[in-house]
Amino acid sequence: MGLFSLFFSKPHSAELTVTSGNGFHLRPVAKFVATAKQYQSDIQASFQGKNADAKGVNTLLSLSLEQGDTFTVRAKGKDAEEALKALSSLFHTLMQDDVEISVVEKEEMTYESKTISGEIIASGIAIGPATRYRETQSNRASTLSFEEAFEKSEAELTTLYSDNKEKSNADIYLAQKELLSSLKAEVTDLASLEKSIANASSQLMGTKLEAKIVDYKDILQRIKAHLGITSEMHFPEHPFILMADDLLPSQIETLSHTSVQAVILKETSLNSHTAILLRGAGLPSLIADYTPIEEDSRIILDAHAGLIVLEASEKELESARKRERADKEAQQSAFEKRFEAAETKTGKRIKVLANVTDPDSARTAKEEGAEGIGLLRTEFLFKKEQPSYEKQVAAYQAIFALFDEVTVRTLDVGGDKALPYITLIQEDNPFLGIRGVRLFNTHPEIIAEQLHAIFSAAQHSAVKIMFPMVSSVEEFMEAKAFAQNVAKEYEIDISNIHFGIMIEVPSVLFLLEDFNKVVDFYSIGTNDLTQYLFAIERTHATLKTNDLSPAVFDALALIVSKAEKPVSICGELAANTEAIPKLLEIGLETLSVSAKRIAETKKTIREQ
Ligand code: PEP
Ligand code: MG
């Protein structure tokens, strides 16, 4: 998780800084490329004197962008400006959403029997017979030409991506699709594809992009299957621990429907798509050299300690069985508990809501255990072109139907957030200029249409509307009056709607007594509040605020002590496991976090 840096240095060029510890890797790159391709302009990325076409995954990946690297994106063409705005905004989201893969700490454990040590992909424990991976190839005649098989594979991956968008692993399909498309120009038949992939793979060996090789193999297998060359995996009926050199990402789904208990892979890496999917499937797994393990011998795979125990004693087996049972119970309870309310040890109930951007992410939030939506960032709802009123209503209705509690933020454009169809005047300090609620004055038609759509969709729901970047009571009053006029014009009863503000501008802290008289609720946006407290732009390439500074917590404590209306927090700080104990101590009772952080946030609350 992190921030990224963007500032327009020249017309039609932007500087972006990679902030994720994973670097700018295949999945976010694929999304970036897919968006770049939607524009006609020529789009180039450059880093340390090296140029790359931003519409190809391989070219972009060849820049090897790591955390902290700042690269330049340049667009030339009719839609260059819009392309840059969309790409910059997307990059910001990609960096924020990229969950960093952390190395699992090994637990201390000693065994008397012989052990093999390995790296932990997914923790857990399993006991069973070790089984080597086996597959058989079959050939049947196919009516498809190579070109057709290629296109069918591309289409299949596109469908897999769009059908699974709500699942966290869907991006892997998009990544493979973009990888496949990038080969199109250079291959004409299966032999040239195999050669191309073999070349690319040998170049990747030993580099930090080595994990991509398995995706190449996967796309090759997909095309081969369409040409009649299929490989079938063979697994025992009884529970087993699988040993394989590597597995293809597409094989994990099949594997998880067998009696497999755990997996040992020799050649994968912790951030390969295979490893990501193994984690997702909850299969205890290790990277280890399994050569000394005899086929069918009973082993303990201790993926807490990162050990494989050969010829374990009865005592060791008994203790492993106990830990396996305890694990299953803990897993079961964590899984079941994501839908349960979060209560601290002292019995204090804390509400956990989600920050979402559209109906898809709202559905994901529901599956992840959100109790409502604490922040709907509407500027991400329609990123490419201005939506019709009808489209907006449909999107809001879809989201309102999912939860009883939804807080919609009116368009928050300006500063770090851009929309291609909203033109703002060029300013020296856009973070201190026209942004958030100030758009009510500069773009009244767009805001009026948005409010109209929200009101129409909310006719049967108790929806909360909040205005971003409010800095004075007058600003709030004007925005609320504007909204009321829209309702009046369209004769919509909005007595069910609550109006509140984001607390992002420090002036609000000193005006709370007056705000208490007019607002229905507050939501603290620590991302912006912190940047304004420290006078450090949240997207700055080198300067960083200290989000855990007493200045931040004192500001929050002041808000909670002065506010006489419900207060929630929706900035990134709400999901920070180090900050949560302090937030609860201050008295915050509603946290709004991104969908992927809900279970962990609830777990942290329960530990307080
Ligand atoms: C914030 O500023 O903390 C916030 C939640 O809003 P955004 O990150 O969308 O500006
Ligand atoms: Mg904000």
Side-chain angles (χ1 to χ4, degrees), residues 409 412 417 435 469 502 504 528 538:
R409 179 171 76 185
D412 186 17
K417 303 186 195 79
R435 58 173 311 203
M469 304 303 305
M502 297 270 302
E504 295 164 299
D528 275 308
R538 61 192 278 184

Side-chain angles (χ1 to χ4, degrees), residues 258-282:
T258 68
S259 309
V260 72
Q261 301 294 297
V263 176
I264 307 166
L265 296 178
K266 208 176 179 176
E267 287 162 8
T268 195
S269 66
L270 290 181
N271 56 7
S272 70
H273 288 162
T274 305
I276 291 171
L277 291 168
L278 280 170
R279 257 176 243 125

Side-chain angles (χ1 to χ4, degrees), residues 26-232:
L26 181 56
R27 270 167 294 129
V29 161
K31 285 197 154 177
F32 194 86
V33 165
T35 303
K37 281 180 175 170
Q38 292 171 12
Y39 295 90
Q40 281 167 0
S41 295
D42 172 49
I43 307 174
Q44 298 287 322
S46 58
F47 177 62
Q48 293 183 338
K50 227 174 135 186
N51 272 330
D53 178 8
K55 292 185 182 178
V57 272
N58 279 329
T59 46
L60 199 48
L61 282 172
S62 72
L63 296 181
S64 302
L65 294 159
E66 289 292 321
Q67 186 175 33
D69 290 346
T70 298
F71 66 106
T72 310
V73 185
R74 284 190 188 83
K76 236 196 268 166
K78 259 205 225 136
D79 54 5
E81 203 174 343
E82 295 97 273
L84 271 183
K85 277 186 189 167
L87 287 170
S88 303
S89 170
L90 171 75
F91 188 77
H92 167 74
T93 317
L94 291 173
M95 287 295 111
Q96 278 203 339
D97 290 353
D98 197 35
V99 179
E100 291 178 23
I101 292 159
S102 48
V103 177
V104 182
E105 285 282 326
K106 290 184 184 175
E107 284 176 16
E108 277 293 325
M109 190 73 195
T110 41
Y111 289 94
E112 280 166 12
S113 306
K114 192 176 165 214
T115 57
I116 297 172
S117 125
E119 271 184 279
I120 303 170
I121 299 175
S123 50
I125 193 153
I127 306 159
T131 304
R132 279 196 166 71
Y133 176 81
R134 218 164 56 79
E135 68 173 27
T136 47
Q137 298 255 347
S138 66
N139 264 314
R140 57 174 171 78
S142 164
T143 51
L144 297 186
S145 67
F146 175 74
E147 216 168 63
E148 286 164 340
F150 195 101
E151 271 162 21
K152 207 158 179 197
S153 302
E154 265 187 313
E156 217 165 62
L157 287 165
T158 307
T159 313
L160 278 167
Y161 171 61
S162 47
D163 286 358
N164 288 284
K165 256 190 184 157
E166 286 156 39
K167 299 197 185 134
S168 56
N169 297 325
D171 295 352
I172 293 174
Y173 298 120
L174 179 68
Q176 292 195 352
K177 192 251 155 199
E178 289 299 339
L179 214 48
L180 183 58
S181 306
S182 71
L183 294 169
K184 206 172 205 155
E186 58 189 88
V187 297
T188 46
D189 54 17
L190 186 57
S192 61
L193 176 70
E194 281 181 316
K195 199 166 154 216
S196 209
I197 287 185
N199 277 345
S201 302
S202 67
Q203 276 169 21
L204 290 169
M205 280 291 193
T207 73
K208 53 193 175 204
L209 291 173
E210 191 172 340
K212 217 173 61 164
I213 294 176
V214 86
D215 292 299
Y216 272 127
K217 287 190 185 157
D218 220 357
I219 54 183
L220 180 61
Q221 175 141 319
R222 192 174 288 280
I223 291 183
K224 278 179 155 181
H226 288 305
L227 292 171
I229 310 161
T230 49
S231 40
E232 196 189 339

